[in-house]
Amino acid sequence: MSGPSFPDHLLTLDEWAALPEYERYRVEMCEGVLVVSPHPGYLHQHVTFTLVDVLAGQLPDGLCVLGDVEVLLPGEPPTVRCPDVIVVDRALVEADPDRATAADVRLVVEVTSGGSGRTDRVTKFSEYAEGGIPQYWIVDLTEPAVLAAFILENGWYRFDGEHGGTVTLTAAGHDVTVDLEELTVARASARSASGDAPVTPDDARPR
């Protein structure tokens, strides 16, 4: 199987949409430039799918929880990200668009693993804030697993605490309970899932 090609120009949204799918890679676009990484490992996928189920089981019928779908962020050249988890209104799902926009997203979640730490804490942090997404969670699988919560305030994310164990948080205006220990399948695997330091407000703000 051939790998993704790398164009010699910044892609438009139409060119992005016309790209073939590459099963061995996760492909996003940052300001018209392809960003290619390996697909996440088993632990990451387990945590992501479990978190989708946990949130979907607690949020009202008017909201839907989706995993690994495209989100178009504002600005040109275009940026398209594929967050691990998003919460959107059910009306959007029923409309069945090609992708969500940042304005559609009520909560975005990234599960940090492998080399994604800086991207999740800095690059996507600023992209999601500038896109106006009201809430951002970062789940770090380093033992013990923690969830860092951020709330959009005056155009930037305010640090709203780092949580471990079982925690009750507000997601899209509704209380939900997340047991971070039950999200993981093997504590030994969690040690190697991310080598980055826990999130702090200073770490998250781009320099």
Side-chain angles (χ1 to χ4, degrees):
M1 179 185 296
S2 61
S5 60
F6 295 92
D8 59 359
H9 63 281
L10 299 179
L11 294 177
T12 66
L13 188 59
D14 287 341
E15 289 174 321
W16 160 263
L19 289 174
E21 292 189 11
Y22 297 94
E23 295 179 358
R24 296 180 59 187
Y25 302 93
R26 186 177 190 179
V27 183
E28 297 176 303
M29 179 168 62
C30 181
E31 297 184 345
V33 178
L34 290 185
V35 179
V36 181
S37 59
H39 275 298
Y42 289 146
L43 178 62
H44 180 284
Q45 293 290 71
H46 171 81
V47 170
T48 298
F49 295 151
T50 303
L51 186 57
V52 168
D53 287 341
V54 167
L55 294 179
Q58 299 180 67
L59 291 173
D61 290 341
L63 296 172
C64 287
V65 188
L66 307 174
D68 196 25
V69 296
E70 293 184 8
V71 175
L72 175 64
L73 298 167
E76 288 292 338
T79 293
V80 177
R81 292 296 186 181
C82 301
D84 290 314
V85 180
I86 61 172
V87 175
V88 298
D89 291 337
R90 181 169 295 278
L92 177 74
V93 176
E94 293 174 348
D96 196 23
D98 291 334
R99 61 190 60 85
T101 68
D104 298 319
V105 180
R106 307 279 294 274
L107 164 69
V108 60
V109 184
E110 295 288 359
V111 178
T112 294
S113 61
S116 70
R118 182 170 178 80
T119 298
D120 293 339
R121 293 180 173 91
V122 178
T123 307
K124 291 185 178 182
F125 186 99
S126 61
E127 290 173 349
Y128 295 155
E130 291 166 2
I133 297 176
Q135 291 181 270
Y136 182 26
W137 293 356
I138 302 175
V139 178
D140 189 332
L141 300 182
T142 307
E143 188 176 1
V146 294
L147 186 159
F150 302 89
I151 296 177
L152 193 67
E153 189 174 272
N154 299 321
W156 197 251
Y157 284 127
R158 171 176 59 81
F159 182 63
D160 197 41
E162 184 174 270
H163 311 277
T166 301
V167 59
T168 298
L169 300 169
T170 299
H174 301 271
D175 287 346
V176 295
T177 299
V178 178
D179 186 337
L180 290 163
E181 293 183 0
E182 289 191 359
L183 286 182
T184 59
V185 290
R187 304 312 307 161
S189 298
R191 291 192 186 97
S192 59
S194 171
D196 300 298
V199 175
T200 66
D202 290 337
D203 290 339
R205 181 178 293 273
R207 298 299 194 266

